[in-house]
Amino acid sequence: MGRFGVGQGLRRVEDARFLTGQGQYSDDIKLERQSYGVVVRSPHAHAEIRSIDLEEAKASPGVLGVFTVEDLEADGVGNIPCLAPMPGKNGGRTITPPRPALARGRVRHVGDPVVFVVAETPAQARDAGELVMVDYADLPAVVATRDTTSPGAPQVWPEAPNNTAVVWETGDEAGTDIAFEKAHRVVQLEFVNNRLVVNPMEPRAATGDYDAASETFTLYSGNQGSHRLVPQLSKQIFKVPQEKMHVISPDVGGSFGMKIFVYPETVLVLFAARRLGRPVRWNADRSEAFLSDSHGRDHVTLAELAVDEEARALGIRVTTTANMGAYLSNFGPFIPTGCYGPMLSGLYTIPVGYAEVTCVFTNTVPVDAYRGAGRPEAAYMIERLMDAAARDLGLSPDELRRRNFIAPEALPFTTAFGPIYDSGDFGRIMARGMAAADWESFPARRAEAAARGKLRGLGLATYCEVCGSNGEETARLKLREDGGVTLWIGTQSNGQGHFTAYTQLLADKLGLEPAQIEIHQGDSWDLPQGGGTGGSRSLLMGGRALDGAADKVIERARKLAGHLLEAAEADIEFAEGVFTVTGTDKRVSLTEVARASHGDTALPEEMQEPIDDQHHVVAGPQTFPNGCHVCELEVDRETGVVRVVRYVVMDDFGVVVNPLLAAGQVHGGTAQGIGQALLEHTVYDEMGQLLTGSFMDYCMPRADDIPPIELTMLEDTPCVTNEMGVKGAGEAGAIGACPAVINALVDALSPLGIRHIDMPATPLKVWQTIQSAERQRAAE
């Protein structure tokens, strides 16, 4: 291992570029003759479009075009597809209503795009947008997730009775029913997993261009993988060959799943660029982002656990209603089913389980992946259920978990919902987390807080997520004349530090200095395939691809080195950037080989071209990072304010390439989880108006809301299903945090007889819960 190799805390190599203002984000792209687009959006959650008057807008200064859905249809522009329709229960199917880029006949959520205005300047486009006159006939709206299937509820789509897109199931329903019939005790818990607005630092933006001579579209837009967008835009929406669709992602200022998808604005800038013959750019402001970016989570769940006399789980039953919003986003129905379902049994030896998920339409912004994408929802369910069960059964939360953990000697273990866990020591990681958090001495801290009039709580949550290996990935590696290498790769950094991790892998493999490694991403024309970023896949899939490309480069360089050293290729060894002849002191460096490959005419003809190769990998077995979060907090019973006073994380990520990067991922994810648990509250009124549509009303976690994160990463149980031993780390913090925080809060409130409180546990909600409990106790 070199000083820059795997396991070293190399500081981010990309930061110098960002800190000196040399990053290039979507807003930095300026094209010749660029024009500007503004979307006129619906102010109603549900309404018929009676008429649209565009004349004043078209006559406004600087206006180049004003477009409605009729213009899209005239140009043959297709609808935005749902890429992941799920099979329904009893042979049913997912109902996928059309989603044109501009509303056709009816709007279905506040912010639904209706008209696209393009002008010479942003100000002119905004002014013209205000002149568009739309006559709406207001309709009743359905908003709350739990109300969607109620008798008489307004219908979002006539083709989706009871507002149901699909009813999906997983597990063994009959076997689970038998387990519940045999149970000594059944514990139930009903709860909400609250809706979130993603709010990355950089709002969405897109610039479309069209070259009429080559009939080629080019999209410039920060995303999570350019190759992911090409098939949708080319085949399904614009109906052109894939080689006619060029997607370029510049630097991306955060995404968390939200920028994976094709959005209406993506389609509109490309359509308008072709129609107008000049580039068209659209930038969201923050208020627009609240109304148009996909949201996350939004579940209502009833969870049930059957246990025997020894408090060992016999079975689990989960019934979830998942809000899809008004349209099915690209992966909308997959997140609460295919991502959520496999992880519902957590780290426990639950022998049988069954889950039914009803995906429903509402008159709200569409819902899709948000950091963790189904895995945080599953972890919250099982960890809140285990904590509630422990309290109901009179056991400590750690004791119930200990009785039900999968033992290390039972691995590999096939869970009730299908995944096969390959490695880990779940009881040990919980014990380590508890010890680090001074669990045993908590009663003294609780007593001290009580003397100050505070309620103090301590809670833990274990987690496991399935991640890492999905799709396909390609890496291309070129050996430059100066001895350095250039890497092109199909993943897409959104701030995680991919360039640093890949630099370390290549430095380790090739014996190079970081400064010798150049990395490119984001251009769909650089590589034939690319899987992008999502599901904590980049290190495993990208690492495997670049490792294979490096092997091919080494093998080609070995042949040339053999020629230079006048030795048989089989006798050439490579280590730390140097080729040597076995058993001799004859050697030649990779730099010397590179120089020779770029112009040594004395070489055989087949060796005279630069060494440049690529490697393609497909998904292998999944990985299962796991860990334990321990949260300690205080509640001011007079105001309901919750203060997290200590936070401990114990993670098993397998082999850690860069502990600084991994820690950054855990810290950020944990902050997002704490934010969801305590602060972030997406509120629609009964008419479908978003009441929390700005940072004045939607509370994001701030520095003083997050204590220092005491993180330990255990590396003694590497993943055994991939050669790198890695498990993935990008989403883990967000998965473990919510249940740990709420478990701690319920522990603080438990002396008042409070068994559960829903997220977000805002000061108002906590105060109201305390007041209700105290009134009930007084009445008794």
Short mmCIF file of all heavy atoms in Angstrom, two decimals, residues 226-280:
data_model
loop_
_atom_site.label_atom_id
_atom_site.label_comp_id
_atom_site.label_asym_id
_atom_site.label_seq_id
_atom_site.Cartn_x
_atom_site.Cartn_y
_atom_site.Cartn_z
N SER A 226 -24.99 10.62 -17.20
CA SER A 226 -25.48 11.04 -18.51
C SER A 226 -26.03 9.88 -19.32
O SER A 226 -27.03 10.03 -20.04
CB SER A 226 -24.35 11.73 -19.27
OG SER A 226 -23.94 12.90 -18.61
N HIS A 227 -25.38 8.72 -19.21
CA HIS A 227 -25.84 7.57 -19.99
C HIS A 227 -27.25 7.13 -19.60
O HIS A 227 -27.97 6.55 -20.42
CB HIS A 227 -24.87 6.39 -19.82
CG HIS A 227 -23.54 6.61 -20.47
ND1 HIS A 227 -22.49 7.21 -19.81
CD2 HIS A 227 -23.08 6.30 -21.71
CE1 HIS A 227 -21.44 7.27 -20.62
NE2 HIS A 227 -21.77 6.72 -21.77
N ARG A 228 -27.64 7.39 -18.37
CA ARG A 228 -28.98 7.00 -17.91
C ARG A 228 -30.07 7.76 -18.67
O ARG A 228 -31.17 7.26 -18.88
CB ARG A 228 -29.15 7.29 -16.43
CG ARG A 228 -28.38 6.38 -15.48
CD ARG A 228 -28.62 6.86 -14.05
NE ARG A 228 -27.93 6.04 -13.05
CZ ARG A 228 -28.49 5.07 -12.35
NH1 ARG A 228 -29.77 4.78 -12.58
NH2 ARG A 228 -27.81 4.40 -11.44
N LEU A 229 -29.77 9.02 -19.06
CA LEU A 229 -30.78 9.87 -19.67
C LEU A 229 -30.93 9.64 -21.17
O LEU A 229 -32.00 9.88 -21.73
CB LEU A 229 -30.42 11.35 -19.43
CG LEU A 229 -30.25 11.79 -17.97
CD1 LEU A 229 -30.03 13.30 -17.91
CD2 LEU A 229 -31.44 11.39 -17.11
N VAL A 230 -29.86 9.18 -21.81
CA VAL A 230 -29.86 9.08 -23.27
C VAL A 230 -30.98 8.20 -23.82
O VAL A 230 -31.72 8.63 -24.73
CB VAL A 230 -28.49 8.62 -23.77
CG1 VAL A 230 -28.54 8.28 -25.26
CG2 VAL A 230 -27.43 9.69 -23.51
N PRO A 231 -31.18 6.98 -23.33
CA PRO A 231 -32.24 6.14 -23.93
C PRO A 231 -33.63 6.75 -23.80
O PRO A 231 -34.44 6.66 -24.73
CB PRO A 231 -32.11 4.82 -23.14
CG PRO A 231 -30.74 4.81 -22.59
CD PRO A 231 -30.41 6.24 -22.31
N GLN A 232 -33.92 7.33 -22.65
CA GLN A 232 -35.24 7.95 -22.48
C GLN A 232 -35.45 9.08 -23.47
O GLN A 232 -36.47 9.15 -24.16
CB GLN A 232 -35.38 8.52 -21.08
CG GLN A 232 -35.45 7.54 -19.95
CD GLN A 232 -35.64 8.31 -18.65
OE1 GLN A 232 -36.71 8.85 -18.37
NE2 GLN A 232 -34.61 8.35 -17.84
N LEU A 233 -34.47 9.99 -23.51
CA LEU A 233 -34.62 11.18 -24.35
C LEU A 233 -34.64 10.82 -25.83
O LEU A 233 -35.40 11.40 -26.61
CB LEU A 233 -33.49 12.16 -24.05
CG LEU A 233 -33.53 12.82 -22.67
CD1 LEU A 233 -32.23 13.56 -22.39
CD2 LEU A 233 -34.72 13.77 -22.56
N SER A 234 -33.80 9.88 -26.23
CA SER A 234 -33.70 9.56 -27.65
C SER A 234 -34.83 8.66 -28.11
O SER A 234 -35.61 9.03 -29.00
CB SER A 234 -32.34 8.91 -27.95
OG SER A 234 -32.18 7.70 -27.21
N LYS A 235 -34.96 7.49 -27.51
CA LYS A 235 -35.91 6.49 -27.99
C LYS A 235 -37.35 6.82 -27.63
O LYS A 235 -38.26 6.72 -28.46
CB LYS A 235 -35.56 5.12 -27.43
CG LYS A 235 -34.25 4.55 -27.93
CD LYS A 235 -34.01 3.17 -27.30
CE LYS A 235 -32.71 2.56 -27.78
NZ LYS A 235 -32.48 1.23 -27.15
N GLN A 236 -37.58 7.22 -26.37
CA GLN A 236 -38.94 7.29 -25.88
C GLN A 236 -39.58 8.67 -25.99
O GLN A 236 -40.79 8.78 -26.07
CB GLN A 236 -38.99 6.81 -24.42
CG GLN A 236 -38.60 5.34 -24.28
CD GLN A 236 -38.51 4.88 -22.84
OE1 GLN A 236 -37.48 5.03 -22.21
NE2 GLN A 236 -39.59 4.33 -22.33
N ILE A 237 -38.75 9.72 -25.98
CA ILE A 237 -39.33 11.06 -25.98
C ILE A 237 -39.16 11.74 -27.34
O ILE A 237 -40.14 12.17 -27.96
CB ILE A 237 -38.72 11.91 -24.85
CG1 ILE A 237 -39.07 11.28 -23.49
CG2 ILE A 237 -39.22 13.36 -24.92
CD1 ILE A 237 -38.41 11.95 -22.29
N PHE A 238 -37.94 11.83 -27.86
CA PHE A 238 -37.73 12.51 -29.14
C PHE A 238 -37.68 11.56 -30.33
O PHE A 238 -37.64 12.00 -31.48
CB PHE A 238 -36.46 13.37 -29.07
CG PHE A 238 -36.65 14.60 -28.23
CD1 PHE A 238 -36.26 14.63 -26.91
CD2 PHE A 238 -37.26 15.73 -28.76
CE1 PHE A 238 -36.46 15.75 -26.13
CE2 PHE A 238 -37.47 16.85 -27.99
CZ PHE A 238 -37.07 16.87 -26.67
N LYS A 239 -37.63 10.26 -30.06
CA LYS A 239 -37.72 9.24 -31.11
C LYS A 239 -36.65 9.43 -32.18
O LYS A 239 -36.93 9.47 -33.39
CB LYS A 239 -39.12 9.24 -31.71
CG LYS A 239 -40.22 9.02 -30.66
CD LYS A 239 -41.61 9.17 -31.25
CE LYS A 239 -42.69 8.96 -30.20
NZ LYS A 239 -42.64 9.97 -29.12
N VAL A 240 -35.42 9.55 -31.71
CA VAL A 240 -34.26 9.67 -32.59
C VAL A 240 -33.26 8.59 -32.20
O VAL A 240 -33.31 8.05 -31.08
CB VAL A 240 -33.61 11.07 -32.50
CG1 VAL A 240 -34.59 12.16 -32.93
CG2 VAL A 240 -33.09 11.35 -31.09
N PRO A 241 -32.32 8.24 -33.07
CA PRO A 241 -31.29 7.26 -32.69
C PRO A 241 -30.48 7.76 -31.50
O PRO A 241 -30.29 8.97 -31.32
CB PRO A 241 -30.43 7.16 -33.96
CG PRO A 241 -31.31 7.63 -35.08
CD PRO A 241 -32.19 8.67 -34.48
N GLN A 242 -29.98 6.83 -30.69
CA GLN A 242 -29.25 7.22 -29.49
C GLN A 242 -28.02 8.07 -29.81
O GLN A 242 -27.66 8.95 -29.03
CB GLN A 242 -28.83 5.97 -28.69
CG GLN A 242 -29.97 5.37 -27.92
CD GLN A 242 -29.52 4.38 -26.87
OE1 GLN A 242 -30.29 3.53 -26.44
NE2 GLN A 242 -28.29 4.45 -26.42
N GLU A 243 -27.39 7.82 -30.96
CA GLU A 243 -26.20 8.60 -31.29
C GLU A 243 -26.53 10.05 -31.61
O GLU A 243 -25.62 10.89 -31.72
CB GLU A 243 -25.45 7.96 -32.46
CG GLU A 243 -26.24 7.85 -33.75
CD GLU A 243 -26.99 6.55 -33.88
OE1 GLU A 243 -27.24 5.88 -32.84
OE2 GLU A 243 -27.34 6.20 -35.03
N LYS A 244 -27.83 10.36 -31.73
CA LYS A 244 -28.25 11.74 -31.99
C LYS A 244 -28.59 12.48 -30.70
O LYS A 244 -29.07 13.61 -30.75
CB LYS A 244 -29.47 11.76 -32.91
CG LYS A 244 -29.24 11.13 -34.28
CD LYS A 244 -28.23 11.92 -35.11
CE LYS A 244 -28.14 11.37 -36.52
NZ LYS A 244 -27.17 12.13 -37.34
N MET A 245 -28.37 11.85 -29.57
CA MET A 245 -28.65 12.47 -28.27
C MET A 245 -27.36 12.49 -27.46
O MET A 245 -26.84 11.45 -27.07
CB MET A 245 -29.74 11.71 -27.52
CG MET A 245 -30.18 12.38 -26.22
SD MET A 245 -30.94 14.01 -26.42
CE MET A 245 -32.42 13.62 -27.38
N HIS A 246 -26.84 13.67 -27.22
CA HIS A 246 -25.58 13.87 -26.51
C HIS A 246 -25.88 14.54 -25.18
O HIS A 246 -26.47 15.63 -25.14
CB HIS A 246 -24.66 14.75 -27.37
CG HIS A 246 -23.28 14.93 -26.81
ND1 HIS A 246 -22.43 15.92 -27.27
CD2 HIS A 246 -22.60 14.26 -25.85
CE1 HIS A 246 -21.28 15.83 -26.63
NE2 HIS A 246 -21.36 14.85 -25.76
N VAL A 247 -25.52 13.91 -24.07
CA VAL A 247 -25.80 14.46 -22.74
C VAL A 247 -24.47 14.72 -22.03
O VAL A 247 -23.61 13.83 -21.95
CB VAL A 247 -26.67 13.51 -21.91
CG1 VAL A 247 -26.91 14.09 -20.51
CG2 VAL A 247 -28.01 13.26 -22.60
N ILE A 248 -24.33 15.93 -21.53
CA ILE A 248 -23.12 16.33 -20.82
C ILE A 248 -23.51 16.81 -19.43
O ILE A 248 -24.31 17.74 -19.30
CB ILE A 248 -22.35 17.44 -21.56
CG1 ILE A 248 -21.91 16.94 -22.95
CG2 ILE A 248 -21.16 17.92 -20.75
CD1 ILE A 248 -21.33 18.03 -23.83
N SER A 249 -22.95 16.18 -18.42
CA SER A 249 -23.15 16.65 -17.05
C SER A 249 -21.89 17.35 -16.57
O SER A 249 -20.83 16.73 -16.48
CB SER A 249 -23.47 15.48 -16.11
OG SER A 249 -23.60 15.96 -14.78
N PRO A 250 -21.99 18.61 -16.25
CA PRO A 250 -20.84 19.29 -15.64
C PRO A 250 -20.75 18.90 -14.16
O PRO A 250 -21.33 17.90 -13.74
CB PRO A 250 -21.18 20.76 -15.83
CG PRO A 250 -22.67 20.80 -15.81
CD PRO A 250 -23.13 19.49 -16.41
N ASP A 251 -20.04 19.69 -13.38
CA ASP A 251 -20.00 19.44 -11.94
C ASP A 251 -21.41 19.55 -11.37
O ASP A 251 -22.25 20.31 -11.86
CB ASP A 251 -19.09 20.46 -11.25
CG ASP A 251 -17.63 20.27 -11.62
OD1 ASP A 251 -17.18 19.11 -11.69
OD2 ASP A 251 -16.94 21.28 -11.87
N VAL A 252 -21.67 18.77 -10.32
CA VAL A 252 -23.01 18.71 -9.74
C VAL A 252 -22.92 19.07 -8.26
O VAL A 252 -22.18 18.44 -7.50
CB VAL A 252 -23.62 17.30 -9.90
CG1 VAL A 252 -25.03 17.26 -9.34
CG2 VAL A 252 -23.63 16.88 -11.37
N GLY A 253 -23.70 20.06 -7.86
CA GLY A 253 -23.68 20.53 -6.48
C GLY A 253 -24.71 19.86 -5.61
O GLY A 253 -25.61 20.50 -5.06
N GLY A 254 -24.60 18.54 -5.48
CA GLY A 254 -25.53 17.78 -4.65
C GLY A 254 -26.71 17.27 -5.46
O GLY A 254 -27.14 17.88 -6.45
N SER A 255 -27.22 16.09 -5.05
CA SER A 255 -28.33 15.50 -5.77
C SER A 255 -29.19 14.63 -4.86
O SER A 255 -30.39 14.78 -4.80
CB SER A 255 -27.83 14.66 -6.95
OG SER A 255 -28.90 14.02 -7.58
N PHE A 256 -28.56 13.65 -4.18
CA PHE A 256 -29.25 12.77 -3.23
C PHE A 256 -30.37 11.96 -3.88
O PHE A 256 -31.38 11.68 -3.26
CB PHE A 256 -29.78 13.58 -2.04
CG PHE A 256 -28.77 14.52 -1.46
CD1 PHE A 256 -28.93 15.88 -1.55
CD2 PHE A 256 -27.62 14.02 -0.86
CE1 PHE A 256 -27.97 16.75 -1.04
CE2 PHE A 256 -26.66 14.89 -0.34
CZ PHE A 256 -26.84 16.25 -0.43
N GLY A 257 -30.18 11.60 -5.15
CA GLY A 257 -31.16 10.82 -5.88
C GLY A 257 -32.04 11.64 -6.77
O GLY A 257 -32.56 11.16 -7.79
N MET A 258 -32.24 12.90 -6.45
CA MET A 258 -33.23 13.72 -7.13
C MET A 258 -32.86 14.08 -8.57
O MET A 258 -33.75 14.34 -9.40
CB MET A 258 -33.47 14.99 -6.29
CG MET A 258 -34.53 15.93 -6.81
SD MET A 258 -33.87 17.14 -7.97
CE MET A 258 -32.95 18.19 -6.86
N LYS A 259 -31.58 14.07 -8.92
CA LYS A 259 -31.18 14.47 -10.27
C LYS A 259 -30.91 13.28 -11.19
O LYS A 259 -30.32 13.43 -12.25
CB LYS A 259 -29.94 15.37 -10.20
CG LYS A 259 -30.23 16.72 -9.56
CD LYS A 259 -29.00 17.59 -9.44
CE LYS A 259 -29.32 18.90 -8.73
NZ LYS A 259 -28.11 19.71 -8.45
N ILE A 260 -31.38 12.09 -10.79
CA ILE A 260 -31.26 10.93 -11.67
C ILE A 260 -32.23 11.04 -12.85
O ILE A 260 -31.97 10.54 -13.94
CB ILE A 260 -31.58 9.63 -10.89
CG1 ILE A 260 -30.54 9.37 -9.81
CG2 ILE A 260 -31.67 8.43 -11.82
CD1 ILE A 260 -30.85 8.15 -8.95
N PHE A 261 -33.34 11.73 -12.68
CA PHE A 261 -34.51 11.55 -13.53
C PHE A 261 -34.56 12.55 -14.69
O PHE A 261 -33.94 13.60 -14.67
CB PHE A 261 -35.78 11.70 -12.68
CG PHE A 261 -35.66 11.09 -11.33
CD1 PHE A 261 -35.76 11.85 -10.18
CD2 PHE A 261 -35.40 9.73 -11.20
CE1 PHE A 261 -35.62 11.28 -8.92
CE2 PHE A 261 -35.27 9.16 -9.95
CZ PHE A 261 -35.36 9.93 -8.81
N VAL A 262 -35.37 12.19 -15.69
CA VAL A 262 -35.78 13.14 -16.71
C VAL A 262 -36.96 13.92 -16.16
O VAL A 262 -37.94 13.35 -15.69
CB VAL A 262 -36.16 12.42 -18.02
CG1 VAL A 262 -36.87 13.39 -18.97
CG2 VAL A 262 -34.92 11.85 -18.69
N TYR A 263 -36.86 15.24 -16.23
CA TYR A 263 -37.91 16.14 -15.77
C TYR A 263 -38.53 16.85 -16.98
O TYR A 263 -37.94 16.91 -18.06
CB TYR A 263 -37.33 17.19 -14.83
CG TYR A 263 -37.02 16.70 -13.44
CD1 TYR A 263 -35.78 16.17 -13.13
CD2 TYR A 263 -37.98 16.77 -12.43
CE1 TYR A 263 -35.49 15.72 -11.85
CE2 TYR A 263 -37.70 16.33 -11.14
CZ TYR A 263 -36.45 15.81 -10.86
OH TYR A 263 -36.18 15.37 -9.59
N PRO A 264 -39.71 17.44 -16.82
CA PRO A 264 -40.30 18.18 -17.92
C PRO A 264 -39.38 19.26 -18.50
O PRO A 264 -39.31 19.44 -19.72
CB PRO A 264 -41.56 18.81 -17.28
CG PRO A 264 -41.94 17.83 -16.21
CD PRO A 264 -40.63 17.34 -15.66
N GLU A 265 -38.67 19.95 -17.64
CA GLU A 265 -37.81 21.04 -18.12
C GLU A 265 -36.68 20.52 -19.01
O GLU A 265 -36.22 21.22 -19.92
CB GLU A 265 -37.24 21.82 -16.94
CG GLU A 265 -38.28 22.46 -16.04
CD GLU A 265 -38.87 21.51 -15.01
OE1 GLU A 265 -38.37 20.37 -14.90
OE2 GLU A 265 -39.81 21.91 -14.30
N THR A 266 -36.22 19.29 -18.74
CA THR A 266 -35.20 18.68 -19.58
C THR A 266 -35.71 18.55 -21.01
O THR A 266 -35.01 18.84 -21.99
CB THR A 266 -34.85 17.27 -19.05
OG1 THR A 266 -34.65 17.32 -17.64
CG2 THR A 266 -33.64 16.71 -19.75
N VAL A 267 -36.94 18.07 -21.13
CA VAL A 267 -37.57 17.90 -22.44
C VAL A 267 -37.80 19.26 -23.10
O VAL A 267 -37.55 19.43 -24.31
CB VAL A 267 -38.91 17.14 -22.28
CG1 VAL A 267 -39.60 16.99 -23.63
CG2 VAL A 267 -38.67 15.78 -21.63
N LEU A 268 -38.25 20.22 -22.33
CA LEU A 268 -38.64 21.51 -22.89
C LEU A 268 -37.47 22.27 -23.51
O LEU A 268 -37.61 22.88 -24.57
CB LEU A 268 -39.32 22.37 -21.82
CG LEU A 268 -40.67 21.84 -21.33
CD1 LEU A 268 -41.17 22.65 -20.14
CD2 LEU A 268 -41.70 21.84 -22.46
N VAL A 269 -36.31 22.25 -22.85
CA VAL A 269 -35.19 23.01 -23.42
C VAL A 269 -34.70 22.36 -24.71
O VAL A 269 -34.28 23.07 -25.65
CB VAL A 269 -34.03 23.16 -22.41
CG1 VAL A 269 -34.47 23.99 -21.21
CG2 VAL A 269 -33.45 21.82 -21.97
N LEU A 270 -34.76 21.05 -24.81
CA LEU A 270 -34.36 20.38 -26.05
C LEU A 270 -35.38 20.62 -27.16
O LEU A 270 -35.02 20.90 -28.32
CB LEU A 270 -34.18 18.88 -25.80
CG LEU A 270 -33.00 18.49 -24.90
CD1 LEU A 270 -33.08 17.02 -24.53
CD2 LEU A 270 -31.67 18.79 -25.59
N PHE A 271 -36.64 20.48 -26.84
CA PHE A 271 -37.70 20.77 -27.81
C PHE A 271 -37.57 22.19 -28.35
O PHE A 271 -37.60 22.43 -29.57
CB PHE A 271 -39.07 20.58 -27.16
CG PHE A 271 -40.17 21.39 -27.79
CD1 PHE A 271 -40.75 20.98 -28.98
CD2 PHE A 271 -40.58 22.57 -27.20
CE1 PHE A 271 -41.75 21.75 -29.58
CE2 PHE A 271 -41.58 23.34 -27.78
CZ PHE A 271 -42.17 22.93 -28.98
N ALA A 272 -37.46 23.17 -27.45
CA ALA A 272 -37.42 24.57 -27.86
C ALA A 272 -36.15 24.88 -28.64
O ALA A 272 -36.17 25.70 -29.58
CB ALA A 272 -37.53 25.47 -26.64
N ALA A 273 -35.03 24.26 -28.29
CA ALA A 273 -33.79 24.48 -29.03
C ALA A 273 -33.95 24.04 -30.48
O ALA A 273 -33.49 24.72 -31.41
CB ALA A 273 -32.65 23.74 -28.36
N ARG A 274 -34.58 22.90 -30.69
CA ARG A 274 -34.81 22.43 -32.06
C ARG A 274 -35.80 23.34 -32.78
O ARG A 274 -35.60 23.71 -33.95
CB ARG A 274 -35.31 21.00 -32.06
CG ARG A 274 -35.50 20.43 -33.47
CD ARG A 274 -35.81 18.95 -33.44
NE ARG A 274 -37.10 18.65 -32.80
CZ ARG A 274 -37.61 17.41 -32.72
NH1 ARG A 274 -36.94 16.37 -33.22
NH2 ARG A 274 -38.76 17.22 -32.12
N ARG A 275 -36.86 23.74 -32.10
CA ARG A 275 -37.89 24.57 -32.73
C ARG A 275 -37.34 25.96 -33.09
O ARG A 275 -37.65 26.50 -34.15
CB ARG A 275 -39.09 24.68 -31.79
CG ARG A 275 -40.20 25.60 -32.27
CD ARG A 275 -40.97 25.01 -33.46
NE ARG A 275 -41.92 23.98 -33.08
CZ ARG A 275 -43.21 24.21 -32.79
NH1 ARG A 275 -43.69 25.46 -32.80
NH2 ARG A 275 -44.00 23.21 -32.52
N LEU A 276 -36.52 26.53 -32.20
CA LEU A 276 -36.06 27.91 -32.39
C LEU A 276 -34.71 28.01 -33.10
O LEU A 276 -34.31 29.10 -33.52
CB LEU A 276 -35.97 28.61 -31.03
CG LEU A 276 -37.29 28.75 -30.26
CD1 LEU A 276 -37.04 29.30 -28.87
CD2 LEU A 276 -38.27 29.63 -31.03
N GLY A 277 -33.97 26.90 -33.17
CA GLY A 277 -32.67 26.94 -33.83
C GLY A 277 -31.60 27.65 -33.04
O GLY A 277 -30.63 28.17 -33.61
N ARG A 278 -31.73 27.65 -31.72
CA ARG A 278 -30.70 28.26 -30.86
C ARG A 278 -30.78 27.65 -29.47
O ARG A 278 -31.80 27.09 -29.08
CB ARG A 278 -30.86 29.78 -30.80
CG ARG A 278 -32.21 30.23 -30.28
CD ARG A 278 -32.40 31.74 -30.50
NE ARG A 278 -31.48 32.52 -29.68
CZ ARG A 278 -31.48 33.85 -29.64
NH1 ARG A 278 -32.32 34.55 -30.41
NH2 ARG A 278 -30.64 34.50 -28.87
N PRO A 279 -29.70 27.73 -28.71
CA PRO A 279 -29.71 27.11 -27.37
C PRO A 279 -30.75 27.76 -26.46
O PRO A 279 -31.00 28.96 -26.54
CB PRO A 279 -28.29 27.36 -26.85
CG PRO A 279 -27.47 27.63 -28.06
CD PRO A 279 -28.38 28.31 -29.03
N VAL A 280 -31.32 26.93 -25.60
CA VAL A 280 -32.32 27.40 -24.63
C VAL A 280 -31.91 26.90 -23.25
O VAL A 280 -31.61 25.73 -23.07
CB VAL A 280 -33.72 26.87 -24.97
CG1 VAL A 280 -34.74 27.34 -23.92
CG2 VAL A 280 -34.15 27.33 -26.35
#
